[in-house]
Amino acid sequence: MDKGTVRKHIKYRYIIQLFFAAVTNSYVTGFAAGKIYQGNLKLLCHPGLNCYSCPGAVLSCPIGALQAVIGSRAFSFSAYVFGTILVFGALMGRAVCGFLCPFGLIQEGLYKIPFPKKINRFRGDRPLRRLKYVMLLLLVVILPMTINNAAGNATPYFCKLVCPAGTLEGGVPLVLLSRSGGTALSAGGFEGLSGLSESIVRPGVINVPTTGYQIGLLFWWKFSILAAVILLSIINYRPFCKYLCPLGALYGMLNPVALYRLRLDGDACIHCGKCSKACKMALDPVRETNHSECVRCGDCVKVCPTGALDMGFGDGKLTKLNETRHHNAATARAGGKERQ
Amino acid sequence: MLRKRAWAGLMVIGAALVIVGVARGETVVVLQKAIRICLECIGIG
């Protein structure tokens, strides 16, 4: 592929992201009235992380749905949600994160805010990324599967203790809308992190309240996580996706086999290192093509001077990379930097 | 070739799981959860 003929879907990725986020959060009445969509479309899972308690959401959040089914009295495993994630993951891998996830879009928007020094490569970055697998196993699967209340239902621990998408898309608008509707909130709240046992006894889902929401320690805990993610997103590209997102962990595992993939023409690669420098997920796209952390943002494809990198469905035209040449070129670049 | 087979296998397993999940009635649980405001998700309960 010649330089300058970068595929249109990569070029217009932001428009695709915006369009998908708008369509899947198109229940305008919800924003106006401070309530959520209750139609049958919510049988379907959104491919990305999009809280189903967002006033505009018309689809279900796959991570919320997964915890709901695993934590329900009737089931201990969700074939439906795992199957849905498997299909999306096998088709697109983490391109879902790059193209279809509304919370990814929000983080990308924040990263565009100017800051003196953006930090995407630092010591401990790679080990820290394993944290999202802990989130997935512990908070999304193991705890909802094992800790039930008297009625046999479990708390969605990831949603409750961590998820900043729920706070931003659901919590903040609903609390603000309940206030603007003239329903004052009592300060102090009824429950915080210390009130975990109370929420296990009390089912965690109720209808839209008519008297406003009480906000307490739990809300401020989750709000602090959201604030931290927002601030970090200005400095670091997609910190939530890198370090915390359990959905990203699932799609990441499917990334190496996904149909939509990064393609490298090893013969055309001149080992200039521009793709590696451009990668905000701190990868070397040439050596780590289709790595579990690649969200298919396409920045590497855009900067490649020879068109050696491309992205699309299937393998396309592929030739193997000369590893020795690439390694030598990378070493020479590193040496040059040190001399400077 | 191996990757293509793995991909096809995952698609088939994924689709089969969706069908099994729908048949077991998991979608009812998903819908019941999704149409009510989840207090945990928004940080209230």
Side-chain angles (χ1 to χ4, degrees):
Chain A
M1 195 180 66
D2 296 331
K3 194 193 172 195
T5 57
V6 173
R7 288 174 192 275
K8 279 185 179 166
H9 70 274
I10 303 173
K11 211 170 167 183
Y12 301 121
R13 188 173 64 90
Y14 290 121
I15 295 171
I16 296 171
Q17 281 179 297
L18 274 170
F19 176 77
F20 198 74
V23 167
T24 54
N25 290 285
S26 56
Y27 186 61
V28 184
T29 315
F31 290 108
K35 60 181 187 176
I36 64 170
Y37 172 71
Q38 296 183 307
N40 285 335
L41 268 180
K42 276 198 168 168
L43 281 168
L44 304 173
C45 289
H46 194 291
L49 200 78
N50 192 66
C51 185
Y52 42 35
S53 288
C54 170
V58 294
L59 300 173
S60 287
C61 169
I63 290 299
L66 193 57
Q67 291 169 92
V69 179
I70 290 176
S72 71
R73 191 173 40 191
F75 306 104
S76 55
F77 170 76
S78 179
Y80 174 65
V81 184
F82 265 122
T84 306
I85 292 171
L86 210 54
V87 169
F88 280 125
L91 275 175
M92 296 185 68
R94 287 196 80 177
V96 170
C97 311
F99 282 86
L100 305 179
C101 181
F103 199 63
L105 171 66
I106 290 165
Q107 289 174 86
E108 283 196 29
L110 289 165
Y111 190 75
K112 288 194 175 296
I113 296 171
F115 192 79
K117 188 166 169 59
K118 303 274 183 182
I119 302 167
N120 285 313
R121 292 169 200 264
F122 58 92
R123 186 180 285 195
D125 171 49
R126 288 288 175 103
L128 203 55
R129 294 190 194 200
R130 293 184 194 138
L131 189 58
K132 61 179 170 290
Y133 295 95
V134 177
M135 294 285 162
L136 172 66
L137 276 177
L138 190 68
L139 299 182
V140 177
V141 178
I142 295 173
L143 288 182
M145 203 179 265
T146 52
I147 304 177
N148 296 331
N149 62 18
N153 295 313
T155 299
Y157 288 95
F158 178 77
C159 297
K160 177 163 182 161
L161 300 177
V162 179
C163 189
T167 315
L168 181 68
E169 296 165 5
V172 172
L174 286 171
V175 166
L176 289 176
L177 286 166
S178 77
R179 277 195 163 178
S180 64
T183 50
L185 301 169
S186 66
F190 60 89
E191 185 184 13
L193 287 172
S194 57
L196 211 61
S197 56
E198 186 189 339
S199 72
I200 290 170
V201 176
R202 184 176 54 82
V205 180
I206 62 162
N207 279 312
V208 182
T210 53
T211 53
Y213 295 105
Q214 288 184 304
I215 55 175
L217 185 60
L218 178 65
F219 183 84
W220 293 118
W221 161 255
K222 285 199 67 185
F223 192 81
S224 305
I225 293 177
L226 172 64
V229 168
I230 287 174
L231 290 175
L232 282 173
S233 297
I234 298 169
I235 306 163
N236 186 290
Y237 184 71
R238 290 177 173 247
F240 177 75
C241 309
K242 280 178 184 166
Y243 310 116
L244 295 175
C245 183
L247 193 58
L250 279 166
Y251 287 140
M253 287 189 259
L254 298 165
N255 227 13
V257 293
L259 188 64
Y260 186 84
R261 53 202 298 103
L262 195 61
R263 305 184 286 220
L264 171 71
D265 181 348
D267 286 345
C269 178
I270 56 168
H271 316 285
C272 63
K274 284 186 178 174
C275 53
S276 178
K277 206 175 167 188
C279 181
K280 296 194 281 283
M281 293 300 278
L283 301 170
D284 177 355
V286 170
R287 294 188 76 177
E288 299 173 308
T289 319
N290 298 305
H291 189 275
S292 61
E293 292 295 322
C294 172
V295 295
R296 314 280 199 251
C297 68
D299 284 354
C300 54
V301 178
K302 286 181 197 164
V303 298
C304 181
T306 62
L309 285 164
D310 183 22
M311 227 164 54
F313 287 99
D315 281 333
K317 186 190 160 198
L318 286 174
T319 51
K320 215 175 169 188
L321 175 77
N322 185 329
E323 280 280 350
T324 319
R325 260 177 66 195
H326 185 73
H327 176 75
N328 291 343
T331 313
R333 276 199 310 276
K337 256 185 196 172
E338 270 173 26
R339 278 196 296 277
Q340 282 169 13
Chain B
M1 192 63 189
L2 187 66
R3 192 187 55 74
K4 279 181 184 168
R5 282 185 188 166
W7 174 81
L10 286 171
M11 283 296 287
V12 171
I13 293 169
L17 283 173
V18 170
I19 293 166
V20 168
V22 172
R24 293 205 306 170
E26 288 177 27
T27 46
V28 177
V29 179
V30 172
L31 188 64
Q32 277 176 352
K33 179 77 178 174
I35 62 170
R36 297 180 174 94
I37 289 176
C38 166
L39 293 184
E40 290 101 336
C41 304
I42 65 172
I44 301 292

